[in-house]
């Protein structure tokens, strides 16, 4: 069973809209949650991380975490065509090991 | 600071050969992890090294191995290559807050 699930997409939004990307995880002991953006042919780039329940904002990006529901999301406000990429949700479980478990990614296309 | 560097960027090998990939973490980072990315399986964890010690290993056969040197540089080796080993191999290094930064990757093609 996949431990980190993302809405499979692809997801298309018009330029200027809000893109909502969702992720659920199965390990209740998970401590840290990361969102990466990956452009085609490139390596993943860290966008945001969140450790505590609630919202965390960074520019146009907002990460939301609900540990009780085992749910983490990423909102992208004022979406731009340059935001078109695959977004990967990653989860770090409890313990000292720094292994991340990744979801399969959601492909986002922002239409001009 | 320079980012994570990986060499080579591209490799073409044939079945049965072996390959060694290299990774230099961000200066000051002591942890390195390796991941394999394929279209079918996504990003999968291979192993993690900290201070020259393997701390964690993913569910990969013994043909996949790695090591870390005293300067934190890491290598991974794949022996007896199979067609299914064709993938993007990513190295990541960690800062003290567990934020993981990826290198550009090595794209391995096995023919």
């Amino acid at each position: 069973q996949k431990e980190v699930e993302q809405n499979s997409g692809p997801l298309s939004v018009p330029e200027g809209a809000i893109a909502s990307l969702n992720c659920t995880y199965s390990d209740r002991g998970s401590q840290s949650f990361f969102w990466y953006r990956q452009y085609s042919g490139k390596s993943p780039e860290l966008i945001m991380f969140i450790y505590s329940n609630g919202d965390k904002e960074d520019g146009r990006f907002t990460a939301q975490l609900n540990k009780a529901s085992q749910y983490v999301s990423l909102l992208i406000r004022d979406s731009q065509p340059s935001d078109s990429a695959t977004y990967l949700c990653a989860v770090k479980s409890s313990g000292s090991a720094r292994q991340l478990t990744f979801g399969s990614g959601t492909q986002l296309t922002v239409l001009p | 600071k320079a980012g994570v560097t990986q060499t080579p960027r591209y490799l073409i090998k044939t079945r049965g050969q072996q390959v060694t990939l290299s990774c230099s973490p961000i200066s000051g980072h002591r942890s390195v992890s390796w991941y394999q990315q394929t279209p079918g399986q996504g990003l999968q964890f291979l192993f993690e090294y900290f201070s020259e010690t393997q701390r964690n290993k993913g569910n990969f056969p013994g043909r996949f191995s790695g090591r870390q040197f005293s300067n934190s540089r890491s290598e991974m080796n794949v022996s007896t290559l199979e067609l299914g080993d064709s993938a993007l191999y990513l190295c990541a290094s960690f800062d003290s807050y567990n934020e993981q930064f990826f290198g550009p990757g090595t794209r391995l093609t096995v023919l």
Side-chain angles (χ1 to χ4, degrees):
Chain A
Q1 181 181 355
K2 190 79 173 173
E3 297 177 18
V4 179
E5 297 276 1
Q6 293 185 243
N7 43 341
S8 57
L11 176 66
S12 293
V13 300
E15 184 174 355
I18 295 176
S20 177
L21 304 163
N22 304 314
C23 175
T24 58
Y25 58 95
S26 59
D27 181 3
R28 283 198 171 273
S30 298
Q31 292 181 326
S32 313
F33 307 86
F34 303 83
W35 283 100
Y36 286 85
R37 175 176 62 197
Q38 187 172 25
Y39 293 110
S40 180
K42 301 294 185 182
S43 63
E45 171 193 9
L46 180 64
I47 302 174
M48 289 192 70
F49 61 90
I50 186 167
Y51 303 140
S52 304
N53 276 329
D55 294 359
K56 180 181 179 182
E57 187 174 317
D58 183 0
R60 296 186 296 111
F61 298 94
T62 300
Q64 299 174 316
L65 175 61
N66 184 326
K67 289 186 177 181
S69 300
Q70 296 176 246
Y71 175 90
V72 59
S73 67
L74 179 71
L75 300 178
I76 306 174
R77 291 183 301 281
D78 187 25
S79 296
Q80 301 297 309
S82 59
D83 294 326
S84 298
T86 296
Y87 289 79
L88 297 161
C89 171
V91 174
K92 178 187 174 301
S93 296
S94 58
S96 61
R98 292 171 170 174
Q99 173 181 347
L100 294 185
T101 302
F102 284 83
S104 55
T106 299
Q107 186 177 343
L108 171 67
T109 300
V110 181
L111 303 170
Chain B
K1 275 187 181 178
V4 179
T5 59
Q6 291 187 245
T7 56
R9 294 292 309 280
Y10 302 91
L11 265 179
I12 299 176
K13 294 285 188 179
T14 56
R15 281 179 296 174
Q17 287 187 308
Q18 76 166 21
V19 66
T20 299
L21 313 181
S22 180
C23 169
S24 292
I26 293 170
S27 178
H29 290 190
R30 295 166 62 192
S31 291
V32 171
S33 284
W34 288 89
Y35 292 82
Q36 181 197 64
Q37 187 174 34
T38 60
Q41 298 298 316
L43 262 164
Q44 292 187 289
F45 172 77
L46 280 158
F47 22 66
E48 179 207 345
Y49 287 89
F50 177 77
S51 292
E52 303 178 65
T53 300
Q54 185 181 92
R55 292 210 299 185
N56 201 11
K57 183 171 168 51
N59 189 25
F60 279 83
R63 300 184 297 107
F64 291 81
S65 63
R67 59 178 174 169
Q68 187 181 31
F69 302 95
S70 58
N71 62 357
S72 296
R73 190 177 70 84
S74 177
E75 289 181 346
M76 67 162 283
N77 184 77
V78 187
S79 62
T80 319
L81 284 166
E82 301 178 359
L83 294 178
D85 297 333
S86 294
L88 179 66
Y89 290 88
L90 292 160
C91 169
S93 74
F94 300 81
D95 67 6
S96 56
Y97 297 99
N98 290 322
E99 293 169 46
Q100 196 165 172
F101 300 92
F102 283 93
T106 295
R107 185 162 298 280
L108 172 65
T109 302
V110 182
L111 302 176

